């Protein structure tokens, strides 16, 4: 099939290198020469007519090979094509289904009750269809997910040596016959990589599942056609002939549309995409950076000439049917299900179709999309700070550059660093300002016009302190705003429908309250409740609000009094932008962080308190109305007296509340002294004290060095795992999972968590001892006592162990800016796995790589094969370097801020790394910041200021 563009995988991803040949032209392109790319307007582009270019495959190991011709599944039914044993099994299963269906039909013709065989046929083929659908969506989804993540199928084939002629000669010969018989002349079994042959084997298994899944569904639908199982010659229908005709035409149209979608999608993705070939190898065209046409005739020459070029290209292209609908194979590609439902006129077929289609979407969601993201997606870092520089409509680029240049030169002249924000003071007299405005317009004065010669920088603290600037001075503040900072400034755990609810936010309580009341108003009238039941509901309603107002709000207020509960909650779970990152008077925390947390906590408390008070009285009033009856005779009995006393008591309550408010004021009314310490007030609540319990729990993240000694000729599959002390009762066999906390003795003998086939090594290559390191994800991030276990030959037999090793966290030297910042630099670097692309630049200059502190027990060893295998832990030497701008000997706690604030920025690959930092701060400083707060700050200085502000608010 000719096409101007190369195609796209059936799961919505395609590339210039993916599937540019189909069954009809594969043999032509397989032996063609490589078409190099010509430069058009200085850019390398792919030639439009790419169908003559050689299609290359490339394994993850870098092996390059020509992709042979493959044939689609329809060749299974072509008598001239050879059949493998897998094909024969598939034909047998398909034929068995047809025979069973024929038996059900025959039984219905002779059975006294034809509906019985029809019912049995429905049950059988429904169960059979669900089995194959589960094999497809659950089975293949699970296997392909493991293959996509860890190359599980390929590693299994390697481990079982199914293609190894030396280890498994019979199995290898049998598999070779199954593959060679179905391929063309351009297929060379012995020269192609294992990954490609494994994929050919896998696709034959897929054919069995897909074909049986399809046929069992069709036979289930046929089982719902009553006229096939009934002996009557005519049937009455409740539908008019016109409706029947429309139903049949609609069903046929959907079937034809489904056929067109499937064939079009296959034309685009080819067998490579149809059978998930990108889980096994890459396929595409070599794209050279030069513009000379160089024909390549074999994979070796192509691999040699590929140096310095872009190898294989994987640009995502939405082509053909994929331009019409997203994931057409899983969306509109199942329109035939509903066409069959119309033709069968059966709700049973419709609901089964809906269930099967839903299962296919689950396959798309849990395997397909994550695989596409892993394979083709761009890995995105968290907390990436990309500056957004707004340009005034009256400011040119030259003006902006000149202003920035002048400001930078002035800062460097005064020995200052330009931080994330700066303030430019334009000192002018009123006459100069008038002349300035007349020349450039008044908007230039505040939006930024030509630079004034008298420019100097002032700090953010000076701006905050100076509420009214002196006469003749005007402030123009320029913020180097980033998308990350804007996002965390305006979006802070916002509620989407009911997701992200925080029950300590008053507006979130209102959302739940209104939702609940609307649902109750819709349901209660339908229940037709008696008056007595309604009375009981009003009692429960009033009692609930009284419990909320008196008990729940009381507990919150007590928690705020005891441990600053409410302020702590908002401080730990929400991000508050600091006023400044460049000023820290006396090494204290940032005022913006502290005031932001207090303000939001107090505002939400006021909302909750007022809501509780109002609803408490309103609900009680509603309950009272249910028991009240307007008297018919006011002067008879005690009716008038009761009403008079009731009105007086209500008036007394209102008067008492008004007097209380006048005495307490709005500050006392809302218990402001529980939140604001420095507010001038004469209120004195005795018996209120603050208590803060800081449990001391610590952990280390540095690397754990282990020295091992083992006999010569020991197994190269030996490995060492680290376990919780006491987790394994036996010292001979390990029975608990490592949870990924293990390191191989010889790393080159392992492919991930699967041992490679053993290779011969000379005696000189066998080491008697060596050193391994537990670091990054192999090192525990939980404190406690651990033990090391040396295991033999990739198994769980223990030949040596060391215990107990205590892992804990270092603590900052003091609760001042410098100590906290130095401690955070070390914690952040360890939490980010020392990735240079993530850690702050300042850590490369100022961090002290502290040695691991651990308590070493006596060395434990075990005799093994007449020799000794043993383990010992080694402590790395301590290295410390200090940048010239860091005050090493200072003890005042005032930070030295000569470093650039931007150098303190750090980023993340995943939220798991932010959780490590949050956990470390919690263990050492007893402040439970949410990971979102860590990601929002993403700056050592900002996080240090936040910690100091938190300690000042919450106590030591």
């Amino acid at each position: 099939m000719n096409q101007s563009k190369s195609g796209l995988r059936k799961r919505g991803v395609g590339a210039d290198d993916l599937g540019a040949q189909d069954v009809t032209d594969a043999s032509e392109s397989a032996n063609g020469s490589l078409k190099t790319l010509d430069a058009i307007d200085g850019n390398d582009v792919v030639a439009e007519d790419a169908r003559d270019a050689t299609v290359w495959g490339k394994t993850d190991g870098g092996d390059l090979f020509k992709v042979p011709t493959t044939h689609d599944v329809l060749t299974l039914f072509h008598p001239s094509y050879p059949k493998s044993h897998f094909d024969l099994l598939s034909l047998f299963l398909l034929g068995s289904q047809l025979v069973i269906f024929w038996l059900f039909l025959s039984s219905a013709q002779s059975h006294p009750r034809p509906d019985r065989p029809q019912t049995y046929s429905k049950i059988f083929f429904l169960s059979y269809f669900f089995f194959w659908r589960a094999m497809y969506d659950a089975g293949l989804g699970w296997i392909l997910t493991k293959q996509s993540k860890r190359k599980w199928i390929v590693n299994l084939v390697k481990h079982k040596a199914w293609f190894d002629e030396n280890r498994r000669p019979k199995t290898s010969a049998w598999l070779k016959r199954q593959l060679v018989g179905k391929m063309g002349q351009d297929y060379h079994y012995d020269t192609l990589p294992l990954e490609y042959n494994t994929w050919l084997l896998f696709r034959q298994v897929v054919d069995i599942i897909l074909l049986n899944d399809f046929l069992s569904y069709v036979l289930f639908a046929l089982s719902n056609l009553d006229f096939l199982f009934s002996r009557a010659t005519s049937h009455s229908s409740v539908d008019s002939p016109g409706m029947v005709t429309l139903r049949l035409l609609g069903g046929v149209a959907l079937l034809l549309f489904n056929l067109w979608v499937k064939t079009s999608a296959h034309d685009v993705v080819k067998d490579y995409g149809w059978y998930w070939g990108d889980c096994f190898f890459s396929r595409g065209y070599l794209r050279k950076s030069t513009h000379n046409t160089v024909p390549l005739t074999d994979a070796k020459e192509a691999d040699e000439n590929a140096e310095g070029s872009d190898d294989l290209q994987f640009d995502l292209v939405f082509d053909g049917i994929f331009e019409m609908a997203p994931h057409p194979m899983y969306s509109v590609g199942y329109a035939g299900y509903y066409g069959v439902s119309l033709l069968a006129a059966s709700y049973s077929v419709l609901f089964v179709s809906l269930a099967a289609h839903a299962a296919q979407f689950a396959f798309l969601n849990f395997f397909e999309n994550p695989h596409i993201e892993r394979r083709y997606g761009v890995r995105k870092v968290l907390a990436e700070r990309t500056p957004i520089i707004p340009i005034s409509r009256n400011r040119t680029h030259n003006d902006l550059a000149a202003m920035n240049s002048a400001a930078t030169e002035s800062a460097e002249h005064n020995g200052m660093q330009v931080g994330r924000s700066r303030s430019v003071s334009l000192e002018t007299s009123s006459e100069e300002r008038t002349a300035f405005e007349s020349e450039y317009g008044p908007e230039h004065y505040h939006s930024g016009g030509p630079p004034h010669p008298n420019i100097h920088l002032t700090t953010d603290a000076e701006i905050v302190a100076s509420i009214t600037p002196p006469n003749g001075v005007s402030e123009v503040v320029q913020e180097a705003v980033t998308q990350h900072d804007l996002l965390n400034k305006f979006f802070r755990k916002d509620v989407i429908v009911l997701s992200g609810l925080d029950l300590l936010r008053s507006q979130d309580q209102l959302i739940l309250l209104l939702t609940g009341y609307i649902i109750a108003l819709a349901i209660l009238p339908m229940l037709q409740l008696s008056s007595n039941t309604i009375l009981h509901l009003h009692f429960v309603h009033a009692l609930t609000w009284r419990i909320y107002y008196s008990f729940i709000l009381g507990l919150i207020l007590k928690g705020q009094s005891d441990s600053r509960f409410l302020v702590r909650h908002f401080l730990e779970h929400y991000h508050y932008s600091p006023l400044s990152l460049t000023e820290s008077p006396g090494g204290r925390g940032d005022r913006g962080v502290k005031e932001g947390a207090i303000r939001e906590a107090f505002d939400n408390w006021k909302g909750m308190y007022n809501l509780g008070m109002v609803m408490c009285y309103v609900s009680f009033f509603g309950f009272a109305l249910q028991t009240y009856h307007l008297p018919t005779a006011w002067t008879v009995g005690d009716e008038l007296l009761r009403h008079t006393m009731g009105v007086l008591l209500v008036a007394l309550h209102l008067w008492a509340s008004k007097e209380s408010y006048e005495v307490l004021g709005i500050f006392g009314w809302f218990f402001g002294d529980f939140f604001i310490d420095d507010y001038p007030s004469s209120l004195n609540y005795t018996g209120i004290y603050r208590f803060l319990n800081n449990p001391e729990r610590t952990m280390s993240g540095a690397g754990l060095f282990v020295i091992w000694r083992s006999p010569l000729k020991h197994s190269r599959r030996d490995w060492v795992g680290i376990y919780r002390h006491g987790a394994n009762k036996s010292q001979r066999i390990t029975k608990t999972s490592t949870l990924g906390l293990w390191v191989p003795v010889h790393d080159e003998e392992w492919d991930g968590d699967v041992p490679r086939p053993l290779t011969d090594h000379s005696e000189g290559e066998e080491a008697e001892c060596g050193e391994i390191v537990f670091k990054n994800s192999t090192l525990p991030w939980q404190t406690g006592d651990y033990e090391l276990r040396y295991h033999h030959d990739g198994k769980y037999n223990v030949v040596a162990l060391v215990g107990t090793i205590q892992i804990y966290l270092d603590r900052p030297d003091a609760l001042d800016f410098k100590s906290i910042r130095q401690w955070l630099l070390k914690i952040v670097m360890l939490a980010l796995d020392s990735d240079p692309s993530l850690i702050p630049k300042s850590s490369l200059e100022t961090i002290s790589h502290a040695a691991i502190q651990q308590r070493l027990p006596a060395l434990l060893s075990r005799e093994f094969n007449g020799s000794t295998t043993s383990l010992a832990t080694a402590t790395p030497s301590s290295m410390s370097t200090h940048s010239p701008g860091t005050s090493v000997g200072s003890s005042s706690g005032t930070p030295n801020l000569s470093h650039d604030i931007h150098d303190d920025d750090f980023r993340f690959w995943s939220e798991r790394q932010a959780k490590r930092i949050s956990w470390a701060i919690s263990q050492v400083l007893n402040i439970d910041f949410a990971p979102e707060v860590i990601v929002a700050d993403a700056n050592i200085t900002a996080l240090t200021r936040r910690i100091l502000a938190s300690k000042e608010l919450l106590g030591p």
Side-chain angles (χ1 to χ4, degrees):
M1 175 180 178
N2 297 333
Q3 54 188 22
S4 60
K5 294 182 180 179
S6 58
L8 179 69
R9 302 171 59 247
K10 68 169 181 173
R11 294 165 291 282
V13 178
D16 290 341
D17 54 274
L18 300 182
Q21 71 179 125
D22 56 11
V23 175
T24 60
D25 62 8
S27 60
E28 297 177 7
S29 62
N31 296 318
S33 61
L34 175 67
K35 297 294 185 181
T36 57
L37 307 175
D38 297 327
I40 299 179
D41 294 332
N43 296 322
D44 290 340
V45 297
V46 179
E48 291 187 1
D49 189 9
R51 61 190 297 263
D52 292 333
T54 302
V55 180
W56 297 92
K58 188 176 182 180
T59 66
D60 289 345
D63 296 331
L64 197 67
F65 63 95
K66 288 184 179 179
V67 178
T69 306
T70 56
H71 306 286
D72 58 43
V73 68
L74 296 180
T75 59
L76 175 68
F77 306 102
H78 200 292
S80 64
Y81 278 85
K83 304 294 184 291
S84 68
H85 290 173
F86 293 97
D87 294 339
L88 296 177
L89 175 61
S90 183
L91 291 173
F92 170 76
L93 293 174
L94 296 175
S96 299
Q97 290 193 59
L98 294 175
V99 170
I100 294 174
F101 182 74
W102 178 80
L103 291 176
F104 280 127
L105 281 178
S106 301
S107 177
Q109 300 301 322
S110 58
H111 200 279
R113 296 186 57 184
D115 59 317
R116 288 288 182 87
Q118 183 181 14
T119 302
Y120 298 150
S121 179
K122 292 179 182 179
I123 296 175
F124 173 80
F125 285 107
L126 176 62
S127 304
Y128 203 58
F129 171 63
F130 279 166
F131 169 77
W132 288 111
R133 177 55 47 168
M135 291 291 289
Y136 182 3
D137 293 324
L140 289 181
W142 179 71
I143 292 174
L144 285 170
T145 298
K146 296 182 68 175
Q147 170 65 17
S148 174
K149 290 181 176 179
R150 299 187 296 272
K151 304 300 177 186
W152 179 77
I153 301 176
V154 175
N155 289 330
L156 178 65
V157 172
K158 289 180 181 178
H159 181 69
K160 298 297 184 181
W162 288 342
F163 289 103
D164 193 327
E165 297 180 354
N166 297 324
R167 298 175 56 188
R168 299 284 183 88
K170 293 183 179 180
T171 303
S172 175
W174 178 75
L175 290 176
K176 182 177 181 179
R177 291 194 301 270
Q178 308 311 307
L179 301 183
V180 172
K182 289 181 64 66
M183 300 296 290
Q185 296 181 355
D186 58 345
Y187 174 74
H188 305 286
Y189 172 85
D190 297 321
T191 60
L192 287 167
L194 177 67
E195 288 82 355
Y196 184 79
N197 288 330
T198 303
W199 174 66
L200 292 180
L201 179 64
F202 169 77
R203 58 174 285 174
Q204 296 199 43
V205 177
V206 173
D207 282 339
I208 297 176
I209 296 175
L210 296 186
L211 290 173
N212 281 275
D213 172 79
F214 170 76
L215 183 59
S216 58
Y217 172 79
V218 172
L219 294 179
F220 168 72
L222 292 176
S223 299
N224 284 269
L225 297 177
D226 294 337
F227 68 88
L228 291 180
F229 290 85
S230 175
R231 293 190 295 271
T233 58
S234 62
H235 300 275
S236 60
S237 175
V238 296
D239 294 333
S240 64
M243 291 299 298
V244 173
T245 302
L246 288 177
R247 176 170 57 81
L248 295 177
L249 290 177
V252 172
L254 287 176
L255 284 176
L256 293 176
F257 175 73
N258 188 98
L259 179 62
W260 174 76
V261 170
K262 294 288 188 181
T263 54
S264 298
H266 188 271
D267 288 340
V268 172
V269 302
K270 309 299 183 295
D271 286 354
Y272 176 77
W274 194 274
Y275 293 101
W276 303 279
D278 56 350
C279 288
F280 297 83
F281 62 95
S282 302
R283 178 182 175 181
Y285 297 97
L286 289 175
R287 182 176 182 178
K288 296 182 65 60
S289 58
T290 62
H291 308 303
N292 297 326
T293 302
V294 181
L296 303 179
T297 56
D298 57 19
K300 181 179 179 181
E301 184 180 355
D303 199 13
E304 292 174 354
N305 284 272
E307 296 182 2
S309 64
D310 290 333
D311 289 343
L312 299 176
Q313 300 303 302
F314 296 97
D315 301 326
L316 298 182
V317 176
F318 293 89
D319 196 11
I321 183 63
F322 293 89
E323 294 177 329
M324 186 188 74
H327 302 289
M329 294 296 295
Y330 299 141
S331 54
V332 295
Y334 276 80
Y337 270 2
Y338 307 104
V340 171
S341 301
L342 285 175
L343 294 175
S346 170
Y347 282 109
S348 299
V349 177
L350 175 62
F351 292 139
V352 169
S353 300
L354 288 171
H357 201 179
Q360 198 64 25
F361 275 117
F363 179 85
L364 171 68
N365 184 64
F366 292 107
F367 160 69
E368 195 75 37
N369 285 335
H371 168 69
I372 293 173
E373 186 65 26
R374 282 190 298 269
R375 185 72 176 181
Y376 305 101
V378 178
R379 196 177 184 188
K380 191 174 183 180
V381 296
L382 301 178
E384 176 74 19
R385 282 191 165 94
T386 304
I388 303 175
I389 305 177
I391 304 298
S392 173
R393 60 187 177 92
N394 294 317
R395 178 185 298 167
T396 64
H397 290 282
N398 294 332
D399 293 335
L400 182 66
M403 193 169 191
N404 290 338
S405 176
T408 304
E409 290 175 2
S410 176
E412 294 174 352
H413 177 73
N414 293 311
M416 300 175 61
Q417 291 286 339
V418 180
R420 184 167 293 158
S421 63
R422 63 177 182 269
S423 174
V424 182
S425 294
L426 306 180
E427 299 183 0
T428 64
S429 64
S430 59
E431 293 81 7
E432 292 173 333
R433 185 161 63 250
T434 302
F436 184 92
E437 294 181 39
S438 63
E439 180 178 359
Y440 296 100
E443 65 275 11
H444 275 83
Y445 193 81
H446 296 286
S447 63
H452 195 275
N454 296 325
I455 298 178
H456 70 268
L457 298 182
T458 58
T459 62
D460 290 337
E462 292 172 352
I463 298 173
V464 175
S466 178
I467 300 177
T468 58
N471 294 332
V473 178
S474 180
E475 296 286 348
V476 179
V477 179
Q478 290 182 309
E479 291 285 344
V481 183
T482 68
Q483 183 178 1
H484 171 77
D485 295 324
L486 283 178
L487 187 67
N488 287 282
K489 180 179 180 180
F490 293 102
F491 301 95
R492 301 165 61 252
K493 290 190 175 180
D494 299 285
V495 179
I496 302 176
V497 190
L498 296 180
S499 175
L501 283 172
D502 184 350
L503 294 182
L504 291 179
R505 292 192 298 195
S506 57
Q507 65 268 28
D508 293 8
Q509 292 185 4
L510 284 174
I511 291 176
L512 284 181
L513 179 64
L514 293 175
T515 303
Y517 277 124
I518 291 175
I519 293 175
L521 288 174
I523 294 178
L524 289 178
M526 298 186 298
L527 300 179
Q528 299 180 352
L529 302 176
S530 64
S531 58
N532 189 45
T533 303
I534 294 176
L535 178 64
H536 283 84
L537 286 178
H538 276 278
F539 169 76
V540 173
H541 183 234
L543 179 63
T544 301
W545 279 111
R546 172 50 66 178
I547 292 175
Y548 172 83
Y549 179 59
S550 300
F551 184 71
I552 296 179
L553 292 184
L555 287 178
I556 293 176
L557 199 61
K558 184 178 186 303
Q560 173 64 20
S561 172
D562 293 346
S563 61
R564 311 282 282 184
F565 165 74
L566 203 57
V567 173
R568 177 189 290 269
H569 171 79
F570 285 96
L571 185 67
E572 293 176 345
H573 292 84
Y574 296 89
H575 175 261
Y576 302 95
S577 300
L579 291 179
S580 171
L581 294 180
T582 58
E583 287 294 320
S584 181
R588 302 183 64 183
D590 185 86
R591 186 160 56 93
V593 175
K594 294 187 293 184
E595 291 182 356
I598 293 175
R599 183 182 299 109
E600 187 162 13
F602 194 29
D603 287 345
N604 281 279
W605 161 257
K606 290 185 292 184
M608 291 187 294
Y609 181 74
N610 192 65
L611 173 68
M613 180 173 58
V614 171
M615 294 304 299
C616 182
Y617 290 119
V618 171
S619 61
F620 180 78
F621 180 73
F623 172 58
L625 284 180
Q626 296 297 314
T627 61
Y628 177 76
H629 300 283
L630 190 67
T632 56
W634 288 87
T635 57
V636 177
D638 58 355
E639 295 291 342
L640 185 59
L641 177 63
R642 287 193 300 107
H643 281 78
T644 302
M645 293 299 298
V647 170
L648 290 176
L649 289 175
V650 171
L652 178 63
H653 180 82
L654 294 175
W655 174 83
S657 299
K658 180 177 179 297
E659 289 297 311
S660 298
Y661 179 78
E662 290 181 353
V663 172
L664 296 174
I666 193 170
F667 180 80
W669 183 264
F670 285 111
F671 305 89
D673 56 324
F674 283 70
F675 297 85
I676 306 173
D677 295 330
D678 53 357
Y679 187 87
S681 175
S682 59
L683 294 177
N684 183 23
Y685 293 95
T686 59
I688 295 179
Y689 61 94
R690 293 174 182 164
F691 175 75
L692 185 63
N693 182 22
N694 288 325
E696 302 297 335
R697 299 193 308 167
T698 53
M699 186 198 95
S700 174
L704 178 63
F705 291 76
V706 178
I707 300 174
W708 59 268
R709 185 176 75 249
S710 188
L712 289 176
K713 296 299 182 182
H714 65 275
S715 173
R716 295 182 61 84
R717 291 178 174 175
D718 291 354
W719 59 280
V720 180
I722 185 168
Y723 300 86
R724 280 280 190 178
H725 183 69
N728 292 282
K729 303 302 181 182
S730 173
Q731 295 187 357
R732 297 179 178 272
I733 297 179
T734 298
K735 295 185 178 180
T736 60
S737 173
T738 63
L739 301 177
L741 306 179
W742 69 280
V743 177
V745 172
H746 298 282
D747 187 64
E748 65 273 11
E749 298 298 335
W750 291 78
D751 185 5
D753 55 357
V754 178
R756 298 178 183 272
L758 291 176
T759 57
D760 295 332
H761 292 268
S762 62
E763 182 174 346
E765 294 176 327
E766 296 288 347
E768 184 179 13
C769 64
E771 183 181 83
I772 58 177
V773 183
F774 286 85
K775 60 182 180 179
N776 300 341
S777 60
T778 61
L779 189 68
W781 271 84
Q782 295 289 333
T783 58
D785 295 335
Y786 289 84
E787 64 182 14
L788 294 168
R789 290 179 164 236
Y790 186 108
H791 301 85
H792 171 63
D793 195 29
K795 300 180 176 63
Y796 290 89
N797 301 74
V798 180
V799 296
L801 59 85
V802 170
T804 304
I805 299 173
Q806 187 181 46
I807 298 181
Y808 63 98
L809 265 176
D810 295 330
R811 301 182 63 84
D813 297 333
L815 290 179
D816 55 36
F817 185 91
K818 189 188 77 171
S819 301
I820 296 293
R821 183 176 180 276
Q822 289 294 109
W823 179 79
L824 273 179
L825 280 170
K826 180 173 61 176
I827 293 299
V828 168
M829 192 179 79
L830 296 175
L832 300 180
D833 300 325
S834 302
D835 189 334
S837 65
L838 302 180
I839 62 176
K841 295 179 181 178
S842 53
S843 66
L844 301 177
E845 301 176 354
T846 61
I847 190 166
S848 298
H849 302 279
I852 295 180
Q853 302 182 36
Q854 51 195 356
R855 301 166 188 167
L856 297 179
L859 179 66
L860 299 179
S861 63
R862 182 187 300 276
E863 292 297 323
F864 178 66
N865 289 345
S867 302
T868 301
T869 300
S870 61
L871 289 172
T873 54
T875 302
S877 59
S878 177
M879 301 180 297
S880 62
T881 58
H882 301 281
S883 65
T886 305
S887 178
V888 178
S890 174
S891 60
S892 64
T894 302
N896 190 322
L897 293 173
S898 62
H899 66 276
D900 191 344
I901 296 300
H902 296 290
D903 290 344
D904 275 359
D905 288 343
F906 55 89
R907 306 181 298 175
F908 308 89
W909 282 127
S910 67
E911 190 174 315
R912 179 183 179 186
Q913 294 171 320
K915 289 181 179 178
R916 293 176 179 175
I917 301 174
S918 174
W919 189 88
I921 294 174
S922 173
Q923 301 306 299
V924 173
L925 301 174
N926 196 37
I927 304 173
D928 299 320
F929 289 134
E932 294 86 354
V933 175
I934 306 296
V935 173
D937 268 341
N939 181 279
I940 295 294
T941 298
L943 192 54
T944 302
R945 299 285 297 279
R946 185 175 303 279
I947 291 174
L948 291 172
S950 303
K951 300 305 289 185
E952 291 172 13
L953 277 176
L954 305 178

